[in-house]
Amino acid sequence: RLFGRLRVAGRRNEDARHLVIQPLLDQFVEFATENLLILLGQQPNAHFIFMDQNQLSAYVQQEPYPLFSHEPGSPNSEFHELVRRTFQKTLRFDTSFVDSIFGETGGHPFLAINLLRDFVDWLIQQRVVPSKLLLTAELFKEYSTHGLGLSAIGRSRHYRYFRAAASEALSVEGIEHSPWIHVAYKVLRHMALNSVADSISMSYTSIEEYLESSLISARLNSYTTDSFLGSAAESNFIELSDDQVKARIPLLARISAAVGAAT
């Protein structure tokens, strides 16, 4: 929002650009020589404005969004502690259950809580007795056949916020106002609708042509397929492994596939 307003103001008014905006960018750089300046947002290229005289962008270093950490089978991880505090001793679970939740959410705290709430709703529908139940990977797999289908995700009250975010990003307005975010969600949606594996992944060659056309339609001509995938990986939309492009947060990809999209 900050850099969007600066870009618009600078294009409308040449005096504003030279007397206010470019000096402001210079002051950011000067301030950052002795202080830590943190820019938070989902669009990593937002600061790329007026590049002919932009000193700031040369110094910006992109860091991935801090997802909760977890190692498979670990009972002491940050993510395991999140699950424990969420249930507050009302439900017992083993490490395989935590592994399953982490595999679906990638450690995203907000979506992990949403998923656990939806899972508990499913348990209530099954009329289980909490004191006699141990949550395991097998039980989560049974839930996933019902709760992680696109129809179920589209109906669940727990994903309203992210469905709205995905709908906005995939809309015609999303192409115009947030093209980078638009393409990122578009890639997630494409992968979720066309992957055969639960992990939601595709080979680089199978997604390359689709991504190239998406970048052209969004007018992101400054990006190549490789540079866009690199920035999307740093933003935790995807992860790159050998020749595979995987959804970093599979649940977010499923949500993207459960909403409408611009044609």
Side-chain angles (χ1 to χ4, degrees):
R1 185 176 300 171
L2 167 66
F3 291 108
R5 288 184 175 181
L6 293 178
R7 180 187 293 108
V8 171
R11 286 177 176 173
R12 288 179 176 174
N13 189 317
E14 197 72 13
D15 288 344
R17 171 178 174 177
H18 293 289
L19 298 178
V20 180
I21 297 169
Q22 287 178 333
L24 177 61
L25 296 178
D26 293 342
Q27 288 176 350
F28 280 156
V29 175
E30 183 179 353
F31 177 83
T33 58
E34 297 182 357
N35 304 273
L36 178 62
L37 178 63
I38 300 176
L39 307 173
L40 296 177
Q42 281 193 314
Q43 190 165 334
N45 65 338
H47 56 88
F48 289 156
I49 62 173
F50 308 122
M51 294 302 290
D52 56 335
Q53 292 178 304
N54 182 332
Q55 294 188 50
L56 176 66
S57 292
Y59 293 98
V60 174
Q61 296 184 25
Q62 185 176 346
E63 299 289 343
Y65 181 85
L67 303 177
F68 279 41
S69 61
H70 179 67
E71 292 293 332
S74 172
N76 302 311
S77 71
E78 192 176 36
F79 190 75
H80 190 284
E81 180 67 10
L82 173 67
V83 176
R84 186 187 69 79
R85 292 193 180 195
T86 301
F87 284 144
Q88 298 180 351
K89 299 181 180 180
T90 57
L91 289 168
R92 297 179 302 118
F93 58 91
D94 64 12
T95 55
S96 72
F97 177 77
V98 179
D99 291 346
S100 298
I101 299 295
F102 184 83
E104 186 60 35
T105 64
H108 192 294
F110 194 171
L111 275 173
I113 299 300
N114 293 156
L115 177 59
L116 291 173
R117 286 174 171 169
D118 196 72
F119 177 79
V120 169
D121 281 353
W122 176 76
L123 290 179
I124 293 173
Q125 294 173 6
Q126 306 305 306
R127 301 179 182 275
V128 301
V129 180
S131 61
K132 298 181 179 179
L133 185 68
L134 177 67
L135 307 185
T136 63
E138 284 299 316
L139 187 61
F140 181 80
K141 185 176 181 180
E142 182 181 346
Y143 153 80
S144 65
T145 60
H146 306 280
L148 293 182
L150 298 188
S151 295
I153 288 176
R155 293 191 302 266
S156 174
R157 60 192 176 96
H158 300 296
Y159 304 125
R160 288 173 183 167
Y161 175 85
F162 282 95
R163 284 201 305 267
S167 294
E168 181 179 349
L170 291 166
S171 67
V172 174
E173 290 77 12
I175 301 175
E176 180 181 355
H177 299 297
S178 302
W180 191 95
I181 293 291
H182 171 80
V183 175
Y185 273 94
K186 196 174 178 181
V187 169
L188 287 183
R189 175 183 170 86
H190 178 74
M191 291 171 62
L193 292 174
N194 293 279
S195 296
V196 294
D198 291 337
S199 61
I200 305 186
S201 64
M202 298 180 70
S203 69
Y204 176 88
T205 53
S206 64
I207 204 173
E208 184 177 17
E209 183 178 350
Y210 178 81
L211 179 52
E212 285 181 354
S213 64
S214 297
L215 290 172
I216 291 172
S217 65
R219 298 180 181 178
L220 290 177
N221 301 321
S222 60
Y223 281 96
T224 64
T225 300
D226 289 328
S227 64
F228 182 85
L229 289 176
S231 63
E234 290 179 334
S235 301
N236 285 325
F237 280 95
I238 62 167
E239 60 180 330
L240 305 173
S241 177
D242 297 327
D243 187 44
Q244 292 293 305
V245 180
K246 301 179 180 179
R248 180 68 176 84
I249 305 171
L251 180 55
L252 186 59
R254 300 186 205 278
I255 291 172
S256 302
V259 301
T263 57

